[in-house]
Amino acid sequence: MGSTPNSRPVKIYGTLLHLYPQSFQKQYGPTMQVTFNDMLEGERTGWGRGMVWARAMLDLPASATREHITNGKDIPMNRNTKFILLGACIAIVIVGLGSFWEGNLHARQSAGIERVTAGQLADAMQQDSFYSDFGNAAVLFSGNVASTKVQDKASLITFTTGRPFNVVCQFPKAVSFKAGQKVSVAAPAGSAEREAHGVLLHNCLAN
């Protein structure tokens, strides 16, 4: 995975990631920042980039809270965390009003970052609910490598799912994973393709 972008929006987003448990920050923080930067760069208009921010701000506090509950820990309410929470709440109010004005309720409900399993991604594609469930999100998952393949200087990594459908990640650069190795991955779900027996995720990033 490449270095974390240093643009101001990504730095702000990185600060907000301190809402997550430290273990989650360490494992997924850099990957989430790179994915967020890619999503911003993928939009050519100010409105599109604004919607990326809107979706992230709506999702992040709730997602962070879920992670703390899952880990059985409370959010440490130190001074910095209080400032972050206050800023996040203000952003949620502003973004929520904007989204209500736009009327894009589906985006408010489904956009953001989703922590899933390879099996869930495979099931969603097989059941034709992949794009409605994850289409506006960046997905984070960990999985065991089933096989690797190099195609046009990119790496295609197939993950074990235990389902009839596979999950294949396309990494823009060659990666040196081995069969059986466990890898943590982030990918924009909106660019995924349905294949005959699986889902192909483009522009994957490994953590």
Side-chain angles (χ1 to χ4, degrees):
M1 182 183 72
S3 59
T4 302
N6 292 317
S7 66
R8 186 176 181 183
V10 176
K11 287 182 178 179
I12 295 173
Y13 181 74
T15 300
L16 292 174
L17 293 182
H18 284 84
L19 288 172
Y20 286 96
Q22 290 186 358
S23 58
F24 185 93
Q25 295 176 44
K26 183 177 179 180
Q27 184 174 6
Y28 293 108
T31 304
M32 290 171 69
Q33 290 182 68
V34 172
T35 302
F36 179 73
N37 182 71
D38 290 344
M39 293 172 70
L40 285 177
E41 291 184 346
E43 298 292 341
R44 297 184 179 181
T45 65
W47 177 255
R49 288 188 290 272
M51 288 308 301
V52 171
W53 264 111
R55 294 164 183 169
M57 292 304 97
L58 285 169
D59 172 80
L60 195 147
S63 176
T65 300
R66 288 197 301 269
E67 289 299 325
H68 279 279
I69 293 174
T70 300
N71 284 274
K73 300 177 182 177
D74 295 326
I75 300 176
M77 293 301 290
N78 56 35
R79 184 177 180 183
N80 290 336
T81 302
K82 289 180 179 179
F83 279 123
I84 293 173
L85 282 172
L86 178 61
C89 289
I90 293 173
I92 289 171
V93 172
I94 295 173
V95 170
L97 290 174
S99 297
F100 178 77
W101 174 76
E102 183 196 12
N104 191 355
L105 299 179
H106 175 72
R108 290 175 61 192
Q109 295 171 350
S110 62
I113 296 172
E114 294 285 345
R115 191 175 182 184
V116 296
T117 65
Q120 287 175 314
L121 296 175
D123 288 343
M125 185 59 80
Q126 185 178 14
Q127 297 165 9
D128 293 324
S129 62
F130 183 91
Y131 298 105
S132 60
D133 290 346
F134 309 118
N136 292 315
V139 291
L140 300 176
F141 71 94
S142 295
N144 293 321
V145 176
S147 63
T148 65
K149 180 181 178 181
V150 177
Q151 184 178 64
D152 297 328
K153 298 183 179 180
S155 294
L156 295 178
I157 308 298
T158 301
F159 288 90
T160 301
T161 64
R163 270 74 163 177
F165 267 44
N166 294 321
V167 172
V168 181
C169 275
Q170 180 264 336
F171 292 84
K173 296 182 180 179
V175 292
S176 55
F177 300 143
K178 297 180 180 179
Q181 181 178 351
K182 188 172 184 178
V183 181
S184 296
V185 178
S191 62
E193 291 184 40
R194 182 187 179 95
E195 296 193 318
H197 298 287
V199 51
L200 172 62
L201 297 169
H202 291 279
N203 298 315
C204 294
L205 297 170
N207 187 26

